[in-house]
């Protein structure tokens, strides 16, 4: 098991107090995706979209990494090969736990992006449509998150990593959003052993050789312990 690639989703941050998207009381039960997570929604009502991400940024600022984030940081520190985390999460809990090799394929809440010139900078706690870009001064400031209909970040790193993975694990993701939902299938086809760690079956469970069920804070530390003891 030299190269381990791990895809994480909202389920890994749920026990840190950050809501998931598709669980019963999840974010998509309270907000319409097309209003708050599409370029068209932002064009229609930038205030609404900023309010949504400002609230999520405030929640994320209160959150602490949990035992699952810490276990993955330990894996990266102690595993003799590479550990690469591809996260769909826009929070910074992996980094706060100490993980370094992390790619935010859906962007980051704590970053701002200029829709006019592409400049990026640290997001203030509260972003507003009238904020000007510090580089070009145009008022087209948006959160640096990937919306539906946009291309996720880092695809040029993700594709080769999936091809080279010896072990691929998906943690806390419902397997409903592409392209991430196809990563298990892709990695398995390219020769990786695949493991899914989730509270329940996901839409992608059939792509995994092993499925571990339970809360991330319980099953991820046990899984990491097992990997490190076999290394
Ligand atoms: P979802 O909300 O779709 O799925 C979360 C998954 O985590 C579900 O399968 C839950 O059963 C599981 N889960 C919940 N609590 C858990 C816990 N304590 N331990 C382990 N598993 C738990 O979230 P994602 O799959 O991350 O994209 O969603 C993918 C993308 O859809 C997000 O990045 C976001 C969203 O729309 C964009 O906004 C572009």
């Amino acid at each position: 098991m030299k190269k381990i690639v791990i895809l994480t989703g909202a389920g890994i941050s749920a026990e840190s107090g950050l809501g998931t998207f598709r669980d019963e009381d999840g974010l998509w039960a309270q907000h319409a995706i097309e209003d708050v997570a599409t370029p068209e929604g932002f064009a229609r009502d930038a205030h609404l979209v900023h309010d949504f991400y400002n609230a999520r940024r405030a929640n994320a600022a209160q959150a602490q990494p949990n035992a699952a984030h810490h276990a993955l940081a330990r894996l990266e520190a102690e595993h003799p090969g590479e550990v690469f985390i591809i996260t769909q999460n826009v929070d910074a809990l992996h980094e706060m736990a100490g993980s370094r090799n992390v790619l935010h394929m859906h962007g980051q809440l704590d970053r701002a992006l200029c829709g006019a010139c592409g400049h990026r900078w640290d997001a203030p706690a509260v972003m507003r449509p009238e904020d000007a870009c510090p580089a070009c001064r145009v008022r087209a400031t948006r959160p640096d998150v990937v919306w539906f209909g946009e291309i996720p970040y880092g695809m040029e790193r993700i594709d080769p990593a999936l091809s080279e993975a010896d072990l691929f694990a998906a943690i806390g993701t419902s397997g409903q959003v592409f392209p991430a939902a196809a990563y298990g299938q892709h990695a398995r086809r390219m020769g990786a052993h695949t493991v899914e760690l989730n509270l329940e079956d996901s839409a992608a469970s059939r792509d995994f050789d092993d499925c571990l069920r339970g809360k991330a804070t319980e099953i991820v530390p046990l899984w990491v312990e097992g990997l490190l003891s076999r290394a």
Side-chain angles (χ1 to χ4, degrees), residues 57-146:
R57 192 176 300 109
N59 284 345
Q62 308 283 329
Q64 292 298 321
N66 63 45
H69 299 101
H70 285 297
L72 296 187
R74 178 181 167 217
L75 182 64
E76 183 182 325
E78 297 182 19
H79 175 65
E82 185 186 353
V83 174
F84 178 35
I85 296 178
I86 303 166
T87 187
Q88 300 166 87
N89 297 343
V90 291
D91 64 58
L93 296 179
H94 285 305
E95 289 87 345
M96 286 169 71
S99 290
R100 290 168 184 273
N101 199 13
V102 182
L103 190 154
H104 284 269
M105 66 178 292
H106 289 166
Q108 293 171 254
L109 273 178
D110 56 11
R111 299 284 287 165
L113 166 67
C114 175
C117 75
H119 179 67
R120 290 186 163 84
W121 66 99
D122 286 339
V126 177
M127 291 176 65
R128 292 162 310 186
E130 39 299 348
D131 293 342
C133 168
C136 74
R137 310 309 307 169
V138 171
R139 295 177 199 283
T141 296
R142 56 171 281 183
D144 190 11
V145 299
V146 175

Side-chain angles (χ1 to χ4, degrees), residues 7-16 18-23 26-28 33 36-37 52-53 56 66 68 87-90 105-106 145-150 152 171-178 180 196-203 212-220:
L7 173 72
T8 64
I12 197 168
S13 296
E15 291 164 83
S16 292
L18 300 180
T20 62
F21 295 95
R22 294 177 182 77
D23 291 311
L27 282 166
W28 295 155
I33 290 182
V36 297
F52 174 72
Y53 288 98
R56 297 191 56 208
N66 63 45
T87 187
Q88 300 166 87
N89 297 343
V90 291
M105 66 178 292
H106 289 166
V145 299
V146 175
W147 287 323
F148 286 90
E150 297 182 322
I171 304 175
T173 177
S174 61
Q176 296 198 40
V177 175
F178 287 85
E196 180 181 67
L197 297 92
N198 208 48
L199 206 50
E200 58 193 8
D201 282 354
S202 79
L212 307 178
R213 295 284 169 257
K215 290 181 177 177
T217 55
E218 292 168 7
I219 59 177
V220 176

